[in-house]
Amino acid sequence: MSEPSIEAVHLSRRFGSFLAVDDVSFSVARGEIFGYLGANGAGKSTTIRMLCGLLAPTAGEARVAGFDVKSAPESVKSSIGYMSQKFSLYLDLPVRDNIDFFGGAYGLSGPDFAARADEVLRLCDLEAERYATTGSLPGGIRQRLALGCAILHRPAVLFLDEPTAGVDPVSRRHFWRFIRALAREGTTIFVTTHYLDEAEYCGRIGLMVDGRLVALDTPAALKRRYVPGRVLAVRGRNLASAAASLRSRSGIIAVEPFGAGLHLQVAAADWDLASITHALTNAGAQAVEVEAGEPTLEDVFLAVVARPRDGEAHAP
Amino acid sequence: MLGRDPAQGGPAVRESLGLMPQQASLYPDLSVAENLRFFARLYCLPRALFRERSLRLLDITRLGPFLDRRADALSGGMYKKLALACALLHRPEVLLLDEPTNGVDPVSRRELWALLYELVHDGMTVLLSTPYMDEAERCHRVGLIHHGRLLLDGEPRALLAKFEDETYEVEGGERDRVDERLSSLSDVHAASPAGSTLRITVARGSAGTVATALTPLHASLRPVVPNFEDLFLARVRPEAAA
């Protein structure tokens, strides 16, 4: 088996007394789409900065595209592409000038680069916007430009840090189609996202909680392990008060308002569609309809990332 | 807006309005506590009331431990939560949220929704914009705007009931190959990932044709209940193609 494209071994990073990344180990194969998930502040961005050679680890080590992030950070940087949630583009420049700028930053020039720039404009469907001022373009198009800038130098590993924040569903579909094509051609993809329907595109997912990697597996295996119960969608009238009485019953794992209805997660041994309908009706709900749902990665995330209570709030 | 023209109403309208803009709206060099105090003063909130409300908002947003952190040092999700807290301090009658959950993690997102349901239950009107259809489905009523035109307006359930396409999950087959095959079929209006397979929206009555096309790839179709994203993708598709 060939060397993994990304390998982190006991990677840690401390800021003063705060341990942002705590003893994290994983490896990502060439051409794999690896999702790195966690709450805001869980240590995702700190991990990415270390893997990109931008921040030295306090302990442990990492190799990216065959280079050690500590001893060869410059080689790491030239082997990777990075696209951030803020898209990091010059908004007052035309599209093509942004491409030239990022090409220059990677040391690309001459006819080869001109050909590659045209190719990237075509791949990212930006040919019509070539002369448009970047700041005047909608989010979905800026996103394609940011991606184009990140792959100009044909990186072996592409880091995507919340690449689709605020982008419409149609653009997100196109974006992921393109990312999957890159992965098929051998580019390793390391992606963070808060939109867990997108995490379904990942071959494997790592879940970070408070700096630690607490789960790592395929989406299907994570669901089997962390969402063992039945997921139910409920509609009807007077659901809110009926749901409150349900919360305390055994076998009720989660109750959540959803639009005018409810989403429930229940232990399969204790509850089925009929018994839930019965219980809610007895508690005063009317016209109750219950439908089986599919567990999502969001259910997994919520099961794994239990809400940490960080001390009592005091008045500002 | 509350019976007045917002362009003419001036302060009277703005007093009953809470706004959480999409762009940065807080003072970056002020701390969490300072931003809250600043907004409280703008709305002339009495000290005792400010204390009570800010404690509650800090508890809900879990910003309590970060009172001294500057706004520009907050993560995306924390910043959004602070902006929301600032918009809620004066208990507005109407709350406007412009893409409130961009960059917000799923736990905080569900908490934000729990809070919104609570506010609505207490009588607040909430208008929010979102590019995420699972969130749209959480609303009591949705309007779908595309290229400046309102394409749909109604309850998510009612809109879905009128949805004419059929939705299926593809079982078996290799996802990328299936996806490639599907993209060449005009009856397939949308395809999106569902676990290791795909979820597709097809023209009513065309499932047989699509299934036949997938047979050589050892894939088959299983009917599923359409959701709002299926509806959105199918509805904007002809617009995007135009």
Side-chain angles (χ1 to χ4, degrees):
Chain A
M1 199 178 130
S2 63
E3 187 186 15
S5 202
I6 302 175
E7 184 153 42
V9 184
H10 301 302
L11 200 61
S12 295
R13 174 68 207 202
R14 183 180 287 283
F15 295 106
S17 63
F18 176 61
L19 200 51
V21 173
D22 183 3
D23 194 18
V24 164
S25 300
F26 62 86
S27 70
V28 183
R30 181 172 179 271
E32 184 173 6
I33 302 181
F34 184 81
Y36 201 57
L37 311 181
N40 298 116
K44 302 187 301 288
S45 295
T46 304
T47 308
I48 289 188
R49 285 167 66 203
M50 287 193 280
L51 295 177
C52 291
L54 297 171
L55 182 71
T58 313
E61 48 196 86
R63 293 176 71 78
V64 173
F67 301 105
D68 185 285
V69 296
K70 260 196 270 192
S71 61
E74 294 312 312
S75 303
V76 168
K77 283 178 210 167
S78 60
S79 316
I80 62 164
Y82 172 73
M83 176 182 163
S84 85
Q85 50 183 304
K86 299 195 173 90
F87 300 167
S88 313
L89 299 166
Y90 286 93
L91 296 182
D92 48 351
L93 291 184
V95 164
R96 182 53 211 254
D97 289 7
N98 263 301
I99 299 242
D100 286 348
F101 174 82
F102 281 91
Y106 286 114
L108 306 173
S109 62
D112 284 354
F113 171 61
R116 174 64 177 161
D118 285 341
E119 184 185 18
V120 165
L121 284 172
R122 197 183 66 249
L123 285 173
C124 297
D125 197 13
L126 288 166
E127 284 167 309
E129 281 82 19
R130 179 183 293 250
Y131 303 111
T133 303
T134 303
S136 70
L137 298 169
I141 296 178
R142 275 192 228 175
Q143 176 203 38
R144 297 209 296 271
L145 175 57
L147 178 64
C149 290
I151 60 167
L152 278 170
H153 59 301
R154 298 189 168 83
V157 180
L158 184 57
F159 288 93
L160 305 169
D161 193 2
E162 293 185 35
T164 61
V167 176
D168 71 87
V170 177
S171 298
R172 289 163 76 209
R173 286 289 179 297
H174 289 154
F175 177 83
W176 275 102
R177 195 174 287 266
F178 186 64
I179 291 299
R180 283 155 60 205
L182 281 175
R184 271 200 303 280
E185 287 159 19
T187 307
T188 304
I189 311 288
F190 187 100
V191 60
T192 72
T193 178
H194 287 317
Y195 291 94
L196 298 184
D197 56 334
E198 311 199 315
E200 298 278 6
Y201 285 112
C202 300
R204 281 185 311 146
I205 286 167
L207 259 164
M208 290 284 285
V209 179
D210 295 337
R212 300 187 67 92
L213 185 64
V214 297
L216 173 64
D217 217 323
T218 62
L222 288 173
K223 285 178 199 170
R224 279 195 299 274
R225 168 146 184 218
Y226 291 102
V227 196
R230 224 183 265 268
V231 176
L232 303 173
V234 182
R235 293 187 303 276
R237 292 197 305 275
N238 293 341
L239 283 174
S241 54
S245 74
L246 208 60
R247 273 175 213 275
S248 55
R249 306 277 294 268
S250 76
I252 301 289
I253 303 165
V255 180
E256 197 207 352
F258 193 94
L262 292 174
H263 277 186
L264 302 178
Q265 195 187 324
V266 300
D270 299 339
W271 297 94
D272 60 18
L273 272 61
S275 61
I276 283 287
T277 309
H278 190 68
L280 284 168
T281 307
N282 277 352
Q286 287 142 13
V288 177
E289 285 176 62
V290 184
E291 224 169 58
E294 306 274 337
T296 64
L297 279 174
E298 190 155 312
D299 298 323
V300 171
F301 188 98
L302 292 161
V304 174
V305 186
R307 174 176 168 152
R309 289 305 322 206
D310 15 33
E312 289 299 299
H314 46 95
Chain B
M1 182 69 75
L2 297 164
R4 290 167 194 261
D5 178 347
Q8 310 282 321
V13 172
R14 288 199 288 274
E15 226 162 71
S16 15
L17 203 67
L19 171 65
M20 180 176 160
Q22 194 183 136
Q23 309 296 344
S25 58
L26 305 170
Y27 284 93
D29 52 350
L30 293 188
S31 70
V32 168
E34 288 165 343
N35 267 296
L36 282 167
R37 274 205 299 272
F38 173 79
F39 278 90
R41 293 235 183 119
L42 280 186
Y43 289 106
C44 305
L45 213 60
R47 195 175 292 260
L49 213 51
F50 168 62
R51 205 187 134 75
E52 176 200 319
R53 288 186 190 167
S54 60
L55 269 176
R56 166 106 176 91
L57 290 167
L58 285 169
D59 181 53
I60 294 166
T61 54
R62 285 192 286 154
L63 286 170
F66 307 101
L67 282 179
D68 298 328
R69 192 177 285 192
R70 279 169 54 133
D72 58 4
L74 295 173
S75 71
M78 286 161 75
Y79 188 97
K80 289 275 189 184
K81 289 196 282 191
L82 177 58
L84 178 66
C86 290
L88 287 172
L89 274 172
H90 65 295
R91 289 274 164 90
E93 281 180 67
V94 175
L95 181 63
L96 303 179
L97 306 166
D98 194 359
E99 302 195 1
T101 62
N102 289 355
V104 179
D105 68 66
V107 177
S108 304
R109 201 143 30 103
R110 284 217 186 174
E111 286 170 356
L112 182 106
W113 273 99
L115 172 63
L116 291 182
Y117 283 129
E118 216 174 288
L119 295 170
V120 168
H121 187 258
D122 293 343
M124 196 179 288
T125 305
V126 176
L127 178 74
L128 71 88
S129 71
T130 177
Y132 297 101
M133 295 306 118
D134 58 331
E135 280 196 349
E137 214 166 340
R138 289 172 178 266
C139 298
H140 293 133
R141 200 152 70 90
V142 287
L144 170 58
I145 187 162
H146 192 64
H147 292 319
R149 291 195 302 122
L150 193 62
L151 298 183
L152 294 172
D153 175 3
E155 291 170 40
R157 287 277 314 153
L159 292 174
L160 274 174
K162 281 190 282 184
F163 185 40
E164 286 177 355
D165 286 3
E166 295 169 1
T167 308
Y168 293 89
E169 247 178 48
V170 180
E171 291 187 319
E174 204 260 306
R175 182 165 71 184
D176 287 336
R177 289 185 61 209
V178 169
D179 197 17
E180 201 177 321
R181 184 75 189 91
L182 290 171
S183 63
S184 67
L185 302 175
S186 64
D187 283 333
V188 178
H189 292 170
S192 43
S196 58
T197 175
L198 286 167
R199 179 184 182 94
I200 63 169
T201 301
V202 304
R204 183 158 296 269
S206 70
T209 325
V210 175
T212 309
L214 292 180
T215 308
L217 301 174
H218 309 290
S220 57
L221 297 182
R222 180 171 72 86
V224 291
V225 182
N227 64 28
F228 212 66
E229 183 140 339
D230 299 324
L231 171 71
F232 177 92
L233 289 169
R235 189 65 183 80
V236 302
R237 191 190 57 96
E239 305 285 323

mmCIF file of all heavy atoms in Angstrom, chain A residues 189-205:
data_model
loop_
_atom_site.group_PDB
_atom_site.id
_atom_site.type_symbol
_atom_site.label_atom_id
_atom_site.label_comp_id
_atom_site.label_asym_id
_atom_site.label_seq_id
_atom_site.Cartn_x
_atom_site.Cartn_y
_atom_site.Cartn_z
ATOM 1 N N ILE A 189 -8.757 15.049 -0.660
ATOM 2 C CA ILE A 189 -9.595 16.163 -0.216
ATOM 3 C C ILE A 189 -9.782 16.092 1.296
ATOM 4 O O ILE A 189 -10.212 15.062 1.835
ATOM 5 C CB ILE A 189 -10.993 16.113 -0.881
ATOM 6 C CG1 ILE A 189 -10.896 15.929 -2.395
ATOM 7 C CG2 ILE A 189 -11.807 17.347 -0.501
ATOM 8 C CD1 ILE A 189 -10.409 17.119 -3.168
ATOM 9 N N PHE A 190 -9.469 17.185 1.971
ATOM 10 C CA PHE A 190 -9.668 17.288 3.419
ATOM 11 C C PHE A 190 -10.638 18.446 3.624
ATOM 12 O O PHE A 190 -10.325 19.593 3.323
ATOM 13 C CB PHE A 190 -8.321 17.578 4.089
ATOM 14 C CG PHE A 190 -8.355 17.547 5.595
ATOM 15 C CD1 PHE A 190 -7.908 16.424 6.287
ATOM 16 C CD2 PHE A 190 -8.796 18.642 6.322
ATOM 17 C CE1 PHE A 190 -7.913 16.395 7.683
ATOM 18 C CE2 PHE A 190 -8.814 18.622 7.716
ATOM 19 C CZ PHE A 190 -8.367 17.487 8.393
ATOM 20 N N VAL A 191 -11.844 18.147 4.108
ATOM 21 C CA VAL A 191 -12.886 19.170 4.102
ATOM 22 C C VAL A 191 -13.542 19.323 5.480
ATOM 23 O O VAL A 191 -13.762 18.339 6.184
ATOM 24 C CB VAL A 191 -13.944 18.859 3.016
ATOM 25 C CG1 VAL A 191 -14.610 17.510 3.255
ATOM 26 C CG2 VAL A 191 -15.005 19.948 2.921
ATOM 27 N N THR A 192 -13.808 20.559 5.871
ATOM 28 C CA THR A 192 -14.626 20.800 7.064
ATOM 29 C C THR A 192 -15.943 21.426 6.604
ATOM 30 O O THR A 192 -15.969 22.183 5.631
ATOM 31 C CB THR A 192 -13.975 21.781 8.054
ATOM 32 O OG1 THR A 192 -14.017 23.097 7.501
ATOM 33 C CG2 THR A 192 -12.541 21.410 8.346
ATOM 34 N N THR A 193 -17.011 21.068 7.261
ATOM 35 C CA THR A 193 -18.304 21.670 6.939
ATOM 36 C C THR A 193 -19.224 21.580 8.145
ATOM 37 O O THR A 193 -19.084 20.679 8.968
ATOM 38 C CB THR A 193 -18.976 21.000 5.724
ATOM 39 O OG1 THR A 193 -20.250 21.620 5.508
ATOM 40 C CG2 THR A 193 -19.193 19.515 5.945
ATOM 41 N N HIS A 194 -20.153 22.525 8.228
ATOM 42 C CA HIS A 194 -21.174 22.452 9.266
ATOM 43 C C HIS A 194 -22.468 21.905 8.684
ATOM 44 O O HIS A 194 -23.451 21.747 9.378
ATOM 45 C CB HIS A 194 -21.435 23.829 9.869
ATOM 46 C CG HIS A 194 -20.329 24.293 10.741
ATOM 47 N ND1 HIS A 194 -19.714 23.463 11.650
ATOM 48 C CD2 HIS A 194 -19.711 25.487 10.855
ATOM 49 C CE1 HIS A 194 -18.780 24.141 12.284
ATOM 50 N NE2 HIS A 194 -18.755 25.365 11.813
ATOM 51 N N TYR A 195 -22.477 21.632 7.378
ATOM 52 C CA TYR A 195 -23.691 21.151 6.729
ATOM 53 C C TYR A 195 -23.551 19.663 6.501
ATOM 54 O O TYR A 195 -22.819 19.217 5.628
ATOM 55 C CB TYR A 195 -23.987 21.966 5.476
ATOM 56 C CG TYR A 195 -24.372 23.327 5.938
ATOM 57 C CD1 TYR A 195 -23.441 24.349 6.032
ATOM 58 C CD2 TYR A 195 -25.643 23.541 6.455
ATOM 59 C CE1 TYR A 195 -23.784 25.565 6.582
ATOM 60 C CE2 TYR A 195 -25.985 24.758 7.005
ATOM 61 C CZ TYR A 195 -25.053 25.766 7.059
ATOM 62 O OH TYR A 195 -25.386 26.950 7.617
ATOM 63 N N LEU A 196 -24.213 18.895 7.359
ATOM 64 C CA LEU A 196 -23.884 17.488 7.441
ATOM 65 C C LEU A 196 -24.477 16.674 6.311
ATOM 66 O O LEU A 196 -24.061 15.553 6.086
ATOM 67 C CB LEU A 196 -24.283 16.947 8.812
ATOM 68 C CG LEU A 196 -23.493 17.667 9.931
ATOM 69 C CD1 LEU A 196 -23.805 17.074 11.279
ATOM 70 C CD2 LEU A 196 -21.998 17.625 9.690
ATOM 71 N N ASP A 197 -25.415 17.253 5.550
ATOM 72 C CA ASP A 197 -25.840 16.533 4.349
ATOM 73 C C ASP A 197 -24.672 16.465 3.374
ATOM 74 O O ASP A 197 -24.509 15.507 2.643
ATOM 75 C CB ASP A 197 -27.071 17.194 3.715
ATOM 76 C CG ASP A 197 -26.856 18.658 3.398
ATOM 77 O OD1 ASP A 197 -26.024 19.309 4.064
ATOM 78 O OD2 ASP A 197 -27.515 19.159 2.475
ATOM 79 N N GLU A 198 -23.798 17.486 3.389
ATOM 80 C CA GLU A 198 -22.627 17.457 2.511
ATOM 81 C C GLU A 198 -21.592 16.460 2.974
ATOM 82 O O GLU A 198 -20.834 15.938 2.167
ATOM 83 C CB GLU A 198 -21.852 18.775 2.517
ATOM 84 C CG GLU A 198 -22.613 19.938 2.331
ATOM 85 C CD GLU A 198 -21.795 21.118 1.900
ATOM 86 O OE1 GLU A 198 -20.713 21.402 2.433
ATOM 87 O OE2 GLU A 198 -22.305 21.757 1.013
ATOM 88 N N ALA A 199 -21.539 16.246 4.278
ATOM 89 C CA ALA A 199 -20.545 15.317 4.812
ATOM 90 C C ALA A 199 -20.807 13.911 4.273
ATOM 91 O O ALA A 199 -19.926 13.057 4.294
ATOM 92 C CB ALA A 199 -20.573 15.327 6.332
ATOM 93 N N GLU A 200 -22.036 13.689 3.754
ATOM 94 C CA GLU A 200 -22.354 12.397 3.146
ATOM 95 C C GLU A 200 -21.464 12.106 1.931
ATOM 96 O O GLU A 200 -21.349 10.971 1.511
ATOM 97 C CB GLU A 200 -23.818 12.365 2.687
ATOM 98 C CG GLU A 200 -24.826 12.521 3.804
ATOM 99 C CD GLU A 200 -25.094 11.220 4.543
ATOM 100 O OE1 GLU A 200 -24.413 10.222 4.253
ATOM 101 O OE2 GLU A 200 -25.974 11.220 5.422
ATOM 102 N N TYR A 201 -20.889 13.138 1.349
ATOM 103 C CA TYR A 201 -20.004 12.931 0.198
ATOM 104 C C TYR A 201 -18.664 12.333 0.619
ATOM 105 O O TYR A 201 -17.898 11.882 -0.223
ATOM 106 C CB TYR A 201 -19.696 14.260 -0.491
ATOM 107 C CG TYR A 201 -20.811 14.838 -1.320
ATOM 108 C CD1 TYR A 201 -21.456 16.003 -0.927
ATOM 109 C CD2 TYR A 201 -21.176 14.245 -2.519
ATOM 110 C CE1 TYR A 201 -22.453 16.561 -1.712
ATOM 111 C CE2 TYR A 201 -22.166 14.801 -3.303
ATOM 112 C CZ TYR A 201 -22.805 15.954 -2.900
ATOM 113 O OH TYR A 201 -23.773 16.506 -3.672
ATOM 114 N N CYS A 202 -18.358 12.414 1.917
ATOM 115 C CA CYS A 202 -17.034 11.987 2.383
ATOM 116 C C CYS A 202 -16.956 10.472 2.485
ATOM 117 O O CYS A 202 -17.918 9.822 2.877
ATOM 118 C CB CYS A 202 -16.736 12.610 3.743
ATOM 119 S SG CYS A 202 -16.744 14.401 3.709
ATOM 120 N N GLY A 203 -15.798 9.927 2.152
ATOM 121 C CA GLY A 203 -15.574 8.498 2.329
ATOM 122 C C GLY A 203 -15.532 8.160 3.802
ATOM 123 O O GLY A 203 -16.122 7.180 4.248
ATOM 124 N N ARG A 204 -14.795 8.974 4.562
ATOM 125 C CA ARG A 204 -14.729 8.789 6.009
ATOM 126 C C ARG A 204 -14.829 10.152 6.680
ATOM 127 O O ARG A 204 -14.521 11.190 6.082
ATOM 128 C CB ARG A 204 -13.414 8.135 6.420
ATOM 129 C CG ARG A 204 -13.404 6.620 6.194
ATOM 130 C CD ARG A 204 -12.125 6.027 6.745
ATOM 131 N NE ARG A 204 -10.980 6.789 6.267
ATOM 132 C CZ ARG A 204 -9.867 6.997 6.986
ATOM 133 N NH1 ARG A 204 -9.743 6.490 8.195
ATOM 134 N NH2 ARG A 204 -8.883 7.701 6.481
ATOM 135 N N ILE A 205 -15.234 10.104 7.956
ATOM 136 C CA ILE A 205 -15.447 11.329 8.709
ATOM 137 C C ILE A 205 -14.767 11.234 10.065
ATOM 138 O O ILE A 205 -14.895 10.215 10.756
ATOM 139 C CB ILE A 205 -16.963 11.561 8.901
ATOM 140 C CG1 ILE A 205 -17.569 12.029 7.577
ATOM 141 C CG2 ILE A 205 -17.243 12.576 9.990
ATOM 142 C CD1 ILE A 205 -19.048 11.993 7.577
#
